[in-house]
Amino acid sequence: MAEGEKSPRQLMAIGVLGGLICIYIAHYLNSGTNSAWFSFIAALGAILAVYYGANAVRRVASYGLGTGVPSIAMLSFGAGQIAVLLGLAVALNYNIVVAGPIIALILAAIIGLVNGVMARRVIKMNIAIMEMSMMEIAMAASLVILGLSTAIAGSFTFNAIMSYVVASGFIIAVFIVGAMAMFHPFNACLGPDERQLRTLNLALSTGFIAMLVAGIASGAINGVQAAVPMLIVAIVGWLIYYMRFWADTKVDAAAVLSTGLIPTEEEVA
Amino acid sequence: MFDLLLWVWIILGGILIGAGVHFIPVGGAPAAMSQATGVGTGTTMLAAASGLTGLIGAGSAYYLHPGDFAYTIVMGGVSAALMLAILAFIANVMYVFGAGVPLASAKVKYDPITKWRQDLYVSRGTEGHGSPMVSFISGIIGAFLAGVGGALVYFALAETYKAIPGFSATFGSYSAPYYVSLAAAFAIGIFFLNCVMASYNIGGTIEGFHDPKFKRLPKSVVASLVVSAVGGLFALLITVMLPGGI
């Protein structure tokens, strides 16, 4: 681990605790004020989970999966989607809405662990951290789905998510855009000069793009009060972190040269 | 209302999805530079393209004729196979007329279907180019199997969720009933679990059923069985958790 890098444990705390806390704050502030002004906080929780998940993808994919970086994120989002919907249904059944996200997180960890064990022991992939990584990425994926869904629906009760996110079809946008936010950073930055800070800055910028999509979707459900704060935060956040990523890229590059314009036909001849 | 038979269907569907991936000519990054046989992208993208088309086919078939098993399954399989045929064909057009390479496989000397010589047409230093006849046919078989698997999962879930009280409601006037969309959400989850497991099994690239890697199929069947058993169990538990509906 190079100097200035965040350890997996630190990132886990940021992603899991930060993500959960943001989702809870959004849900309770929204239901307390009986509005949807605070939905954007849940999307910020999803971005923290993207931040954590992107580092887990980075760690496992640097071993070389053989199938491309996107595969592990898509698999984990499949697991996360199942875990989130079942977790919220369990919470509804036992009338403990507050425990929904935590149950979803635990279920995601179980499916992720099963996937990891299958990949390592049955398929015999030679990656030592496979079980742990699959579990972590599935947990991060469940938090991303939960965060973006809560941002769209304004609350994380099963009924709200079911009617506003699943039945309306936004779940597919959440699935794809969340997975892309998580796998794109390492997919774009991988190579011998890959650096955690640059990859994670890109993860934050893709996370804000996911938030932008959730913002547009939330406008269809909760109107202006949900969409406007989310779109403003998403655009500002994206600009900040994309500029940071751009600056990091210039720092890490051996040289930044201008190629000039494409030569015209006369100049070539 | 936990139906054991529906659980078996989901597991069977998962195994079919995993097996189907082994037939599909996945070329990966080398094929994108026409240096290996297959369609030039990863399994995740190929499976997402053909598998999701299969699910859309199965979903619309189920929505038009609720409860019609054969119609749903065949529509799922045919939609996925059609999508893969289009993908492989368009990729072949690009390889032949864009990159200027002949379609050839490096794994066999003669194409098992057309009996055409292959090795003479493989450029030096590459593993073949494009999807020759055997890979193309193999891909269509694979996509059909995977589409049927996805449709089986979808059908089992939709039949289960239909019984939940309140789930035949729709969101607004444009959406399908709740059970249709919930089944689709879970079917996509189970689809990705199985297709990515299978793609790990083939190590990212395969040419079709004539590829030596095809012999790894049994390991994928075991992995798919366990993974879709867990995923299917979770998906079916929703009905147990919502006795009163929503």
Side-chain angles (χ1 to χ4, degrees):
Chain A
M1 200 166 72
E3 208 177 319
E5 285 199 356
K6 290 195 170 58
S7 72
R9 221 172 270 264
Q10 271 175 310
L11 282 162
M12 193 179 200
I14 294 174
V16 174
L17 291 181
L20 276 178
I21 290 170
C22 285
I23 291 168
Y24 278 117
I25 289 176
H27 175 82
Y28 284 104
L29 280 183
N30 269 346
S31 63
T33 57
N34 205 9
S35 69
W37 288 109
F38 303 99
S39 297
F40 74 97
I41 300 174
L44 290 178
I47 292 173
L48 292 179
V50 164
Y51 191 65
Y52 160 55
N55 189 58
V57 168
R58 174 181 167 271
R59 277 166 58 224
V60 69
S62 57
Y63 283 78
L65 293 168
T67 55
V69 182
S71 62
I72 197 157
M74 297 309 265
L75 175 126
S76 303
F77 270 76
Q81 186 156 309
I82 297 173
V84 166
L85 290 170
L86 179 62
L88 297 180
V90 171
L92 179 73
N93 186 36
Y94 295 106
N95 212 5
I96 34 168
V97 174
V98 60
I102 294 169
I103 299 172
L105 198 65
I106 294 168
L107 292 174
I110 294 172
I111 309 185
L113 190 64
V114 171
N115 291 340
V117 170
M118 284 297 119
R120 175 109 189 274
R121 307 288 166 195
V122 177
I123 293 181
K124 302 221 188 308
M125 290 179 86
N126 195 15
I127 297 179
I129 57 167
M130 197 69 191
E131 289 102 332
M132 196 58 198
S133 298
M134 283 266 203
M135 201 167 98
E136 286 187 47
I137 300 171
M139 279 160 65
S142 73
L143 282 176
V144 173
I145 294 176
L146 199 60
L148 294 179
S149 303
T150 309
I152 292 173
S155 110
F156 58 65
T157 58
F158 182 82
N159 295 4
I161 301 273
M162 181 67 219
S163 17
Y164 298 144
V165 183
V166 178
S168 62
F170 289 134
I171 187 84
I172 300 302
V174 166
F175 185 94
I176 299 289
V177 101
M180 286 191 74
M182 206 186 272
F183 73 65
H184 175 70
F186 187 72
N187 209 16
C189 296
L190 65 86
D193 63 341
E194 192 269 343
R195 201 160 60 96
Q196 193 197 39
L197 183 69
R198 178 157 55 99
T199 306
L200 292 187
N201 275 343
L202 184 57
L204 288 172
S205 105
T206 53
F208 279 108
I209 297 178
M211 184 177 181
L212 190 73
V213 173
I216 296 168
S218 74
I221 303 295
N222 285 326
V224 176
Q225 46 177 241
V228 168
M230 218 181 308
L231 291 177
I232 292 172
V233 173
I235 291 168
V236 171
W238 177 72
L239 281 175
I240 292 172
Y241 282 98
Y242 195 75
M243 296 314 261
R244 282 201 188 174
F245 165 68
W246 192 235
D248 284 345
T249 309
K250 284 186 175 165
V251 168
D252 290 352
V256 182
L257 301 171
S258 167
T259 57
L261 297 171
I262 299 170
T264 60
E265 214 166 302
E266 293 96 55
E267 281 170 349
V268 172
Chain B
M1 298 166 292
F2 187 88
D3 194 331
L4 208 60
L5 180 70
L6 293 177
W7 194 32
V8 173
W9 277 1
I10 294 176
I11 295 172
L12 190 67
I15 292 173
L16 278 176
I17 294 166
V21 170
H22 287 70
F23 285 86
I24 295 176
V26 192
M33 300 178 284
S34 49
Q35 291 181 353
T37 309
V39 181
T41 184
T43 332
T44 325
M45 298 307 148
L46 273 177
S50 70
L52 295 185
T53 317
L55 277 176
I56 292 170
S60 28
Y62 185 85
Y63 182 52
L64 292 174
H65 297 272
D68 191 337
F69 180 76
Y71 187 49
T72 310
I73 302 301
V74 172
M75 271 293 282
V78 170
S79 313
L82 190 63
M83 189 66 195
L84 201 95
I86 295 169
L87 266 172
F89 178 74
I90 298 290
N92 275 352
V93 169
M94 297 207 177
Y95 287 126
V96 173
F97 297 105
V101 290
L103 308 174
S105 157
K107 294 274 162 68
V108 284
K109 197 170 176 188
Y110 291 95
D111 187 317
I113 293 177
T114 57
K115 309 287 179 209
W116 290 340
R117 188 78 184 263
Q118 301 291 310
D119 55 341
L120 295 176
Y121 300 96
V122 177
S123 311
R124 194 168 298 160
T126 71
E127 304 273 317
H129 331 272
S131 309
M133 185 60 90
V134 63
S135 298
F136 194 88
I137 301 287
S138 174
I140 292 178
I141 297 171
F144 185 79
L145 286 181
V148 165
L152 260 177
V153 174
Y154 178 83
F155 186 83
L157 292 175
E159 284 290 296
T160 316
Y161 299 149
K162 201 158 62 169
I164 302 178
F167 263 44
S168 28
T170 62
F171 176 72
S173 48
Y174 300 106
S175 93
Y178 281 15
Y179 64 86
V180 171
S181 30
L182 187 64
F186 274 118
I188 289 169
I190 294 174
F191 192 90
F192 271 111
L193 290 182
N194 286 294
C195 79
V196 175
M197 276 295 159
S199 79
Y200 286 155
N201 192 33
I202 57 176
T205 58
I206 192 165
E207 286 191 5
F209 56 71
H210 58 293
D211 193 306
K213 283 184 190 170
F214 190 71
K215 295 195 181 72
R216 298 186 194 168
L217 185 62
K219 281 197 294 183
S220 163
V221 170
V222 177
S224 281
L225 193 143
V226 177
V227 166
S228 39
V230 176
L233 180 69
F234 280 21
L236 290 178
L237 276 179
I238 283 258
T239 50
V240 182
M241 288 302 150
L242 297 170
I246 62 170

